[in-house]
Amino acid sequence: MSEAARAELGRPGTLRVGINLGNILLVTGRAADGTPQGVAPDTAAAIAERLGVAVSYVAFDTPGEVADAVTQDLWDIGLIAEEPKRAETIAFCGAYVEIEATYLVPAGSAIQSVAEVDRPGVRIAVSDRAAYDLYLSRTLKHAELYRAKGLAGAFELFKTEKLDALAGLLPALKDNSASLPGSRVLAGNYTTVRQAVGTKPANTALKAFIGEFVAEATANGLIARLIDKHGVTGKLQVAAPL
């Protein structure tokens, strides 16, 4: 299987990996030479090692940019959240971690639960084209989304425009809340974001190879060890099989 998977790589002998620098839980730093560090880069490196090829990282600031690059032959695999809209152009091979998504509300807010957010007149700040933005765009019936670039941009928009809620990943929202007195992270979640490995739909052998690798890595403790190694225990969960 690995020989057929290697034959589908865009650059012989190298696995080009699209990495979203905007997810600070999965990319927790960069080496002196700029190489991304974290659970996502290490997972990609382990895939490359199993394939018997070198790894090369192609960094993007947002997940939307990673998704767009699938049509530009910039990467062989991209590590972003699986989502139906993205699956129209990306073949997802399996999720390796998952993260709860919920809301942050400001001091004095009357909103007490996730269900109460989707009401007429409620304005929600969100990181543009994040997986949870795509999810909320499909599912919200009444509340309105206000988009900004990246997590920091959405948090700033939430504060400056005095919006009613900030949508995001639970660990990041907890950090945001710590810097905003009186704000609250709502209990529960509206979705669980499953971070996955994707490839081009035509790369059927590579997809099968990575699907097998991810299933093994989530079951044998590799992903759990990477979570612990990069100090994000309790913030990321190993993805459960579907």
Side-chain angles (χ1 to χ4, degrees):
M1 183 186 292
S2 59
E3 184 176 349
R6 285 194 295 269
E8 293 178 343
L9 300 179
R11 184 190 305 164
T14 300
L15 180 68
R16 300 170 300 161
V17 180
I19 290 286
N20 167 31
L21 299 179
N23 191 320
I24 58 176
L25 299 174
L26 293 173
V27 181
T28 47
R30 303 190 79 163
D33 64 358
T35 300
Q37 298 174 319
V39 173
D42 277 8
T43 298
I47 293 171
E49 182 178 9
R50 179 70 63 86
L51 267 174
V53 298
V55 64
S56 175
Y57 299 106
V58 185
F60 299 87
D61 290 333
T62 68
E65 292 170 356
V66 178
D68 289 344
V70 70
T71 62
Q72 302 168 31
D73 193 30
L74 296 178
W75 50 256
D76 301 301
I77 64 171
L79 279 73
I80 54 174
E82 57 185 10
E83 219 285 334
K85 183 65 177 176
R86 293 174 181 166
E88 294 175 5
T89 55
I90 297 172
F92 286 104
C93 315
Y96 61 103
V97 298
E98 54 190 27
I99 318 167
E100 284 189 288
T102 184
Y103 299 106
L104 175 73
V105 295
S109 174
I111 297 173
Q112 298 297 320
S113 70
V114 169
E116 292 176 19
V117 174
D118 191 13
R119 292 181 175 178
V122 173
R123 303 168 302 157
I124 305 169
V126 65
S127 176
D128 187 33
R129 299 181 68 198
Y132 46 89
D133 174 26
L134 299 177
Y135 175 83
L136 292 172
S137 296
R138 288 188 290 109
T139 59
L140 287 176
K141 304 298 183 184
H142 305 290
E144 187 174 357
L145 294 171
Y146 287 71
R147 297 177 175 86
K149 183 176 180 178
L151 301 174
F155 185 43
E156 190 62 28
L157 180 67
F158 170 69
K159 293 186 295 181
T160 58
E161 296 298 320
K162 302 186 185 307
L163 301 183
D164 303 295
L166 170 64
L169 301 176
L170 176 59
L173 293 180
K174 287 181 176 179
D175 289 343
N176 292 151
S177 181
S179 66
L180 198 61
S183 63
R184 291 179 289 111
V185 176
L186 298 182
N189 67 77
Y190 49 82
T191 190
T192 297
V193 175
R194 290 171 59 84
Q195 296 288 337
V197 184
T199 188
K200 301 172 185 176
N203 292 345
T204 54
L206 187 59
K207 179 178 186 292
F209 179 91
I210 294 173
E212 183 177 291
F213 174 88
V214 170
E216 180 182 319
T218 53
N220 69 11
L222 172 61
I223 301 302
R225 291 192 294 275
L226 293 180
I227 290 172
D228 183 60
K229 171 186 174 182
H230 291 288
V232 286
T233 301
K235 296 181 178 181
L236 298 179
Q237 304 296 325
V238 176
L242 293 178

